[in-house]
Amino acid sequence: MAHTTLMMIKPDAVENGHIGRILEKVTAAGFQIKGLKLTQLSKNDAERFYEVHQERPFFGELVAFMSRGPIVAAVLEKENAVSDFRTLIGATNPAEAAEGTIRKLYATSIGENAVHGSDSDENAEIEAAFHFAGRERF
Ligand code: ATP
Ligand code: MG
């Protein structure tokens, strides 16, 4: 059965010119793109998207980073999409990410780590609805 996850290519990876290479890895790994856009989060959007982290010491830095430039948001579909996508992107800290993962290849630090992936099926739906209207999903 096909499951959904929500990807963001974060501002660092967009700035560094990695959109095409990341989308290629994602589709080569068997994910189908069901929604796709270049967009920018306002500070308020970033605060809402990462609300669960609001008490963490890095929250201000995270919000400033995520809102500083364009991102690519995508709805992805695949069997076991959430866990398979997190395997494809690698550990939060690129220094600990496995060889060949997107964060190992394209992230620069634990804060500026190239991509976001949903952490549960429930959050994938919430995050997809955050970024996409119904008619933007296929
Ligand atoms: P994401 O939710 O973006 O896919 P993740 O699930 O691997 O990443 P989380 O624990 O949800 O990691 O943290 C959300 C984001 O907050 C991280 O991707 C990173 O950008 C930032 N972050 C996490 N830990 C730190 C830290 N110790 N210092 C700075 N930034 C951090
Ligand atoms: Mg997370």
Side-chain angles (χ1 to χ4, degrees):
M1 189 195 127
H3 296 92
T4 294
T5 194
L6 186 281
M7 165 176 81
M8 291 188 290
I9 302 177
K10 297 184 179 184
D12 60 324
V14 174
E15 288 159 11
N16 292 329
H18 296 316
I19 294 174
R21 276 179 286 274
I22 290 173
L23 290 178
E24 173 55 30
K25 273 194 81 70
V26 167
T27 52
F31 291 87
Q32 282 201 320
I33 295 174
K34 295 291 190 173
L36 184 68
K37 66 169 70 168
L38 186 68
T39 183
Q40 184 164 356
L41 298 176
S42 68
K43 194 164 170 288
N44 181 259
D45 291 331
E47 284 167 353
R48 287 188 295 120
F49 191 92
Y50 281 111
E51 198 171 25
V52 297
H53 295 306
Q54 62 188 338
E55 303 303 330
R56 310 283 286 276
F58 56 80
F59 185 66
E61 195 185 322
L62 175 61
V63 166
F65 163 57
M66 286 303 298
S67 59
R68 82 174 180 213
I71 61 158
V72 172
V75 177
L76 303 176
E77 212 170 84
K78 185 184 180 298
E79 227 175 273
N80 303 315
V82 166
S83 61
D84 283 5
F85 189 69
R86 290 184 71 91
T87 301
L88 179 69
I89 68 180
T92 307
N93 185 351
E96 292 162 12
E99 284 305 323
T101 59
I102 291 174
R103 283 171 168 163
K104 182 69 172 188
L105 289 166
Y106 302 122
T108 43
S109 67
I110 189 169
E112 304 203 359
N113 58 6
V115 276
H116 163 82
S118 306
D119 61 10
S120 68
D121 289 352
E122 188 191 357
N123 282 336
E125 237 354 280
I126 292 168
E127 292 173 3
F130 182 98
H131 282 291
F132 292 90
R135 66 184 163 77
E136 296 175 315
R137 293 177 63 175
F138 299 89

